[in-house]
Structure formats: C-alpha cells, structure tokens
Amino acid sequence: MKHHTPPTSSPLLAGIIRKIHILFIWLTRPNPQIQRPEERRQARLLLTLLTAFIVFSGVVAISLVARVALESTPLETFASQLVALLCGDILLVIAYAVARTPHYQIGALLSIVCVMVTCIVAAIGTQEPFALAFLSIGTLIGALFLTPRMTILVTIISVLITPVVKTLFLHRDWRLLSDEVIFLVGISLINLLVVTMRRADLNQIEQQSRELLDAEKRRVELIVQNERAAALRMFINNVSHDFRTPLTVINSSAYLIKHVVDQRQQQIHAIIIEEQTARLSNLIEDMIAVIRLDNPNELNLQPVDINQLAKQAAQTIVPALTSKQLALHLELADRLVPVQADRYALEIAFRELLENAAQYNRNGGSIIVQTAEAPGSIVLRITDTGIGIDEGHLPHIFDLLYRVDKARSTKTGGAGLGLPIVKKIIEAHGGTIAVESVPDQHTTFTITLPRRAAPGE
Ligand code: ADP
C-alpha cells in the first residue's frame, strides 16, 4: 500500500513530515510481536490512553499559555508544568515504542511511570483541578496494567505525594490535606472498579486460552497415539512375517526328516532346522535389544578393548566367510586405549555390521575391519566389497524396519532391525555412526566412540 504525503515547498519539511507519517503508521499498526490476546487488548488500550493523555496535556498547555497571555501571569508560574508536560509526552511516545518491541511489559510499565512522573511534576506548585485530572488518568492507566494491590499503592503514592511534599516542605496548612484524602478515596474506588472489571475480563480470556490449550493438547496426544498404534501394527506385521518364514521352513524340514529314509537328506534338513532356529533366536535377540536400548541407563559400562571385541565378533561370521569364500582382514591399531562401554551391547553392534558385510558381499569378496585412535575417541571401520547401497537409500537405512530390497532381505533373513539397533547402541554410548557406499563396489560403516561414554548422551 502506498502512503501519499502532502506536497510541500521545503524538502526538509517534506522529509520531516514523511518521517512523522511513517512513525505514526508504525506506532498505530498492530504489533506482530505481541501474540497473547490479553496483551494485544492491553496494547490497544495503552495506545488509546496515551493518545488521550497527549491530547489532554496539549489542551492544558494551551490553557496555561492563554492565561500567561490574557491574565499577565508570569510565565515562570507554569514553566515547570509546561516542561513536565512536554517531557512526559515525549517519554510516553518512547515508552510506547518500547512496548511495541518484544519487551512489551517493560514498555507498558515505563508508560505508567512516565504518566505518574508527569502528573506529579505538573501538580507541584498548583492547585488547579487539571492536576487532579492528570492524577486520575495516571492512576487509571496503572489500574489497567498493574495488579490490584500495586494499583492501590500507586494511587495512594501519586495522589498524596504532592500535598504531603507541600505540607511538609512548603509549609502549607495541613488541614488542606483532608480535601486530598477525600479525592484519594474517590479515585481509589474508581480504580478498584477498573481493576475488578479488568480481572473479570482477563479471567474470561484466560479461561478461553486454557480451553484452547487443552483441546490442542488432546489433539496432539491423539495424533501421537495413532502414530504409535500405526508403528506397532507395522512392527507386528513385519515381525510376524519374519517369524513365519523360518517356522515354515522348520516345519517342512521336520516333516521331511520323518519321511525320507536317505540319511544324507535327513542330515541336510537337520542343518536347515539348526540354521532357521538360529535365525529365529537372532530375531528375538534383536527385538529384545530394541526394547532394552530405549533406556540407555541400562547400559553396563566397563573398560572394553575394542580390538578384542572386534576379533570376538568376527568369530561369529566364520561360517559365512567359508560359505562365500570371503577374506577377512583385521587392521587393528596397536595398544588401543580401552573405552567405557557395554561389552554385550557393543558386541551386538559389531556383529550386526559384520553379518551385513558378509551377507551383502559377493562371493570371493573381502571384509576389512580397521581400528584407529582419534583425539578423545576410538574409530572402528568395517568395509566390504559387496553390492553397496544406492545413494537414495542411504539416508533411510538406519530407520526401523527399513530394507533396501525387501524380497532379498526376507530371503536372507533380514527384518530391517539390524542397523537401527547398531545406531541406538552407538548413540547410547555418546558415539556416532556414518555410512559411505559406492554401489557394486564397496560399503564402509564408520563408528566413532568417545573414550569415556556417558549413557544417554
Ligand atoms: P536387515 O536385517 O534387513 O539386513 P539392516 O537394518 O541390517 O536390515 O539393514 C537395512 C538395509 O540396509 C538392508 O536391507 C540392506 O539392504 C542394507 N545394507 C545394510 N548393510 C549393508 C551392506 N554392508 N552392504 C549393502 N547393503 C547393506
């Protein structure tokens, strides 16, 4: 939207008018920083009251100047009030500008202080009724923003300070105080009324906000519950399928053992049963690990030699190495500093990575296990010369139940649990895991473990 300023002959004046115009638009536009409805309402009220105060003080200033001119009253009589009014107005604009920033509360409080100070200064040296009117406005603004107790305190101080100062220091007749006390009671009653009305208003707004918040909380809870239920359904679906495949194989092998007479055939089926039961027990172990690792405090930390653990985990893939004629190279760093870790959990992680390295390798390929020391941490790298992982799958392979090739994973017994478990284990030790792969060439998993692992880090 374009704003047109009236054309003026002087460019300086035109510039000033444009600036004032921009300032005016900025001051009167709703402040986007203020989000809460009650604060938005207060900000609108603040602007209305400050505008009223400035207009009112302008009228008073004109009347004072008129008296100086018409009644030949010396200017000094009103000079302090005029200066106070001017300063008060300027300060009020500044305070309101502060109230438009994120420091809304500070700005609002500053506005009240400005009105109070202006009122008090304007009232000193005069008994004119406008001084009382100033006080009324000042305390009214206070009543809109302060707590009831603070309002009463501010009202008492601002109404009594001038007469008390006059009585004590300017030797005014103390009996005149009674007028001010009557005024004080009146203004306090008005302010109390304002406070009570505002309270009722705020309570209603608060009640509405609370109800909205409760509804939002219930909505989020419902979404979370639905997501959990969907994840559980998916988990049960996948896992039951992964259980069913080996069970079917076991069942048919058991049937064949019973019905074939050839001893060699029986032997083959017994081996198949053995393999499938091992696959089932691995699956159960993985599921238990997923649940157990949800609580990192369950880690049993102790000094662990990563080289020794890597060698131990490598033992478990010896049958796969033989059947696929894979070469295993251990390139372990000399005298590695032990890390604080859960030996059992870390062994599961290494084993999972080594099993994958064998499983997704080509016949006659190789697996390289490297360990190294880095500042404050130990690095373990497992590289295989297998099928690799496409770039598109890399960001997902640590997701629960994610499988690159479902058909192939099912055939090889993978349920998409291995890598998420490895990641959980490593992160529970405060470490990191990264993967890097070139399809049909190689895949490298790099684990970095801090020497002093803190559970839950
Ligand atoms: P799974 O139990 O199916 O192997 P993982 O979570 O261990 O599940 O692995 C997820 C997917 O990542 C697997 O389906 C597999 O395709 C891929 N993957 C894991 N490790 C390797 C690897 N060393 N080489 C190639 N692909 C791999």
Side-chain angles (χ1 to χ4, degrees), residues 52-65:
F53 184 85
I54 290 169
V55 170
F56 187 59
S57 64
V59 173
V60 172
I62 291 168
S63 86
L64 291 181
V65 172

Side-chain angles (χ1 to χ4, degrees), residues 352 356-357 359-360 384 387-389 397 402-405 408-409 414-420 443 445:
E352 290 286 353
N356 279 353
Q359 199 169 357
Y360 300 108
D384 67 75
I387 54 168
I389 305 165
I397 56 161
Y402 188 83
R403 289 180 275 198
V404 172
D405 178 346
R408 189 191 61 202
S409 279
L417 285 170
L419 291 182
T443 303
F445 284 90

Side-chain angles (χ1 to χ4, degrees), residues 3 5 16-30 47 51 54 93 96 100:
H3 299 287
T5 42
I16 292 172
I17 292 176
R18 202 174 316 117
K19 290 242 159 57
I20 292 175
H21 192 219
I22 291 169
L23 183 72
F24 179 76
I25 289 168
W26 181 73
L27 284 174
T28 49
R29 209 182 43 202
L47 179 64
T51 314
I54 290 169
V93 174
Y96 182 70
R100 292 188 54 79

